[in-house]
Amino acid sequence: MIFSEWFDEFYETYCDGVLSYDCAVEYKIINEKHFRPIANMELENIKPIHVQRCLNTAKTYSTSRQRKVYFLLKRCLNEAVLNEYASKNAAEKVKAPKKITKNFVPLTKTQLKQLFEEETPDILMFKLELWTGLRRGEILALKWENINFDEGYINVCQTLVNSKGHAIIRNSTKSNKDRRVPLCDESRRILAAVQSADKSKKGYVFHNERGEPLSFTVYHTHYKKFFRERQEKYPNIPYIPPHKLRHTYATYILQSGGDIETLRCMLGHSSISTTAIYVHSSFEQMKAAANRLNYH
């Protein structure tokens, strides 16, 4: 069996309808862009040099993409061995591209103030992300019935996901566990401002004219427009992608005295190792630690 035929079987069995839609689509793109050097090769004839040629096609991409190419190919070839279409996995003799981790530098309090000094409906949505740490899909799927103003929390129990080219509401979170996210005074105020401008005051908190949740495409279009306009006024503000609003929330929670286990619960992570990715010490914190150093 040649590789392209096996990948089709592998994709249908282990990816399509099994992984998230976005992940499955990405794997299909990786196959089309990076596995061409071995597409017509017999599985049994694939050697480490051929695996390396596939990896070389991703050299101009991010290290994250390079590692995805490697691990997808390794998994694909491993399943070929397990299913007895090949006797060996050539990827096992090739080193994975090194993981390069860049320290996240959150926006300063001044930059955040400049970024959110105006409050249109769109900006209130982005600002709520910053003050609650909700994921994009969770923000877009948020309903007024999920918000308990009296007890001060959001019940995060559903999320918007892509499926077969369109978005649907999934009645569970990414970790498959509901969670309560506490409302602080500012997040309460933001929600009150959104509610006062929402004539229906029911259904989805952020919605289109038909009352349907905003799509990811609309969300990203509005986010880029929002950031572009803010940077025109304040060129000192570096662009951060939407997920970094959640990252900023996590960073400031820890800098404000929150512990990592509490943060894990607030972010909805299944494992504390995932939360650890959000743990950063600012240079000011490092300087303070150095100044407290005492050998006597």
Side-chain angles (χ1 to χ4, degrees):
M1 179 182 286
I2 64 174
F3 178 83
S4 60
E5 293 173 341
W6 166 243
F7 187 88
D8 289 342
E9 284 197 30
F10 166 82
Y11 184 85
E12 182 180 351
T13 306
Y14 300 105
C15 304
D16 192 23
V18 178
L19 305 175
S20 69
Y21 175 78
D22 289 340
C23 184
V25 168
E26 185 176 19
Y27 283 2
K28 182 174 286 189
I29 292 172
I30 287 175
N31 174 53
E32 294 170 352
K33 286 191 173 185
H34 305 296
F35 296 163
R36 288 182 181 178
I38 60 174
N40 296 317
M41 291 186 64
E42 292 288 336
L43 289 170
E44 196 62 35
N45 294 334
I46 297 175
K47 300 183 184 303
I49 190 171
H50 302 125
V51 172
Q52 188 60 54
R53 285 174 184 168
C54 292
L55 298 182
N56 289 346
T57 66
K59 277 189 173 180
T60 58
Y61 290 78
S62 66
T63 55
S64 175
R65 166 59 77 86
Q66 292 176 38
R67 287 172 62 82
K68 285 180 181 179
V69 170
Y70 172 80
F71 287 110
L72 175 58
L73 183 52
K74 186 176 182 180
R75 166 81 192 282
C76 182
L77 293 177
N78 190 56
E79 292 297 343
V81 173
L82 292 175
N83 285 279
E84 300 181 351
Y85 287 109
S87 61
K88 59 186 181 301
N89 182 349
E92 292 181 347
K93 295 185 178 181
V94 179
K95 290 184 179 180
K98 290 184 178 180
K99 185 176 182 179
I100 299 176
T101 302
K102 295 182 179 179
N103 284 334
F104 169 63
V105 180
L107 297 183
T108 65
K109 292 180 180 180
T110 298
Q111 289 171 328
L112 290 172
K113 185 176 181 180
Q114 292 171 341
L115 190 63
F116 292 106
E117 68 179 1
E118 296 179 8
E119 290 195 338
T120 65
D122 285 343
I123 294 177
L124 285 170
M125 175 171 63
F126 305 136
K127 195 170 186 178
L128 185 64
E129 282 187 79
L130 179 67
W131 284 88
T132 60
L134 296 186
R135 300 179 178 95
R136 274 163 291 173
E138 294 168 347
I139 280 281
L140 295 175
L142 184 63
K143 289 186 172 182
W144 287 113
E145 65 190 52
N146 304 139
I147 302 168
N148 189 320
F149 283 102
D150 293 334
E151 296 186 28
Y153 67 83
I154 295 174
N155 182 33
V156 186
C157 57
Q158 58 194 26
T159 186
L160 189 74
V161 297
N162 281 323
S163 177
K164 302 293 183 182
H166 63 277
I168 62 172
I169 297 293
R170 189 179 72 184
N171 293 320
S172 64
T173 64
K174 186 176 181 180
S175 60
N176 294 316
K177 290 182 180 179
D178 293 0
R179 73 183 190 279
R180 289 185 178 185
V181 173
L183 294 173
C184 63
D185 290 342
E186 179 62 12
S187 53
R188 281 175 179 269
R189 187 197 67 77
I190 294 167
L191 284 167
V194 175
Q195 193 175 51
S196 66
D198 187 358
K199 296 179 181 179
S200 64
K201 293 184 173 58
K202 59 182 181 179
Y204 295 101
V205 176
F206 303 103
H207 54 80
N208 59 25
E209 294 178 352
R210 299 185 297 276
E212 301 166 339
L214 301 177
S215 68
F216 287 111
T217 300
V218 170
Y219 172 97
H220 285 289
T221 299
H222 290 186
Y223 185 84
K224 289 177 180 178
K225 180 176 181 292
F226 149 70
F227 226 101
R228 184 172 61 251
E229 291 175 348
R230 302 316 299 156
Q231 286 182 317
E232 287 176 357
K233 185 172 182 179
Y234 298 107
N236 67 307
I237 301 177
Y239 176 80
I240 59 171
H243 185 70
K244 294 304 181 183
L245 293 176
R246 176 172 160 89
H247 208 141
T248 301
Y249 169 83
T251 301
Y252 275 92
I253 284 287
L254 292 173
Q255 290 182 0
S256 299
D259 62 88
I260 191 169
E261 174 58 22
T262 299
L263 179 62
R264 183 192 69 79
C265 296
M266 294 170 76
L267 294 178
H269 290 156
S270 299
S271 170
I272 203 164
S273 62
T274 304
T275 314
I277 297 172
Y278 293 77
V279 179
H280 306 284
S281 291
S282 69
F283 186 67
E284 292 303 317
Q285 287 176 301
M286 289 190 285
K287 282 203 304 184
N291 289 330
R292 289 194 297 269
L293 181 63
N294 188 343
Y295 290 115
H296 303 289

